[in-house]
Amino acid sequence: MTTSSAQTEPTELTGPTEATGPTELRRTVETYWAAAEARDWDAVASTLADDVVYDLPQTRERISGKEKYLRFNREYPGDWHARIERVVADGDQAVTWIRVTVGLEEMYAIAFFTGDGQGRIKAHVDFWPEPYEPPLGREHLVERY
């Protein structure tokens, strides 16, 4: 993604700034997450390129192709829910920070998307960071939440 002084602040889901403006991929990614949350798999399919590739680096898994990608998501266990915290998009690249809940468990994920130039997602990479306790010795500098 390109960065200019006018784009130092991320674009929030509540609306693009005048400096960045909307992108086609941004709208596609927002549609993707809304459709996934609604379990509207036909709508999810409409956001994907036929040759979409989904990578999960932490588990070293890759899913290639729209049909496998959709099946993976349809069969994913649990009653999960995803809410976008932030979207940053520029041209054919977009990043989302999402909050996912499964029952009482809450976690965050970062998802990187690449567009195919036709308004569809051709690559999706997920990172699921695990929370951890900070090292001792900086308590006087931080506020825990």
Side-chain angles (χ1 to χ4, degrees):
M1 285 193 255
T2 60
T3 304
S4 71
S5 60
Q7 295 176 319
T8 56
E9 289 297 315
T11 304
E12 302 267 352
L13 178 61
T14 55
T17 65
E18 288 182 8
T20 58
T23 67
E24 188 172 10
L25 183 59
R26 177 194 175 96
R27 287 188 296 272
T28 299
V29 167
E30 290 170 346
T31 299
Y32 166 87
W33 282 121
E37 171 64 23
R39 308 305 192 266
D40 182 345
W41 305 118
D42 289 336
V44 169
S46 74
T47 68
L48 303 173
D50 290 338
D51 59 349
V52 65
V53 175
Y54 178 40
D55 280 314
L56 297 111
Q58 290 161 300
T59 57
R60 297 178 315 280
E61 294 175 291
R62 175 173 290 144
I63 297 164
S64 298
K66 185 189 293 192
E67 292 310 313
K68 285 183 181 178
Y69 184 96
L70 290 167
R71 186 171 178 184
F72 176 86
N73 282 285
R74 277 193 307 266
E75 295 178 2
Y76 201 87
D79 184 27
W80 56 269
H81 297 278
R83 187 180 91 205
I84 296 175
E85 294 289 319
R86 182 171 290 171
V87 175
V88 179
D90 187 12
D92 69 348
Q93 301 290 311
V95 179
T96 59
W97 170 25
I98 60 168
R99 180 183 309 207
V100 177
T101 56
V102 181
L104 298 177
E105 186 178 7
E106 184 176 84
M107 59 202 96
Y108 293 91
I110 307 293
F112 292 84
F113 297 90
T114 302
D116 68 354
Q118 304 298 313
R120 295 171 303 202
I121 297 165
K122 75 174 181 180
H124 175 181
V125 180
D126 270 350
F127 291 92
W128 295 82
E130 292 289 327
Y132 63 93
E133 289 301 311
L136 295 175
R138 58 186 188 196
E139 302 82 14
H140 63 290
L141 301 172
V142 302
E143 177 183 328
R144 297 292 303 275
Y145 59 92

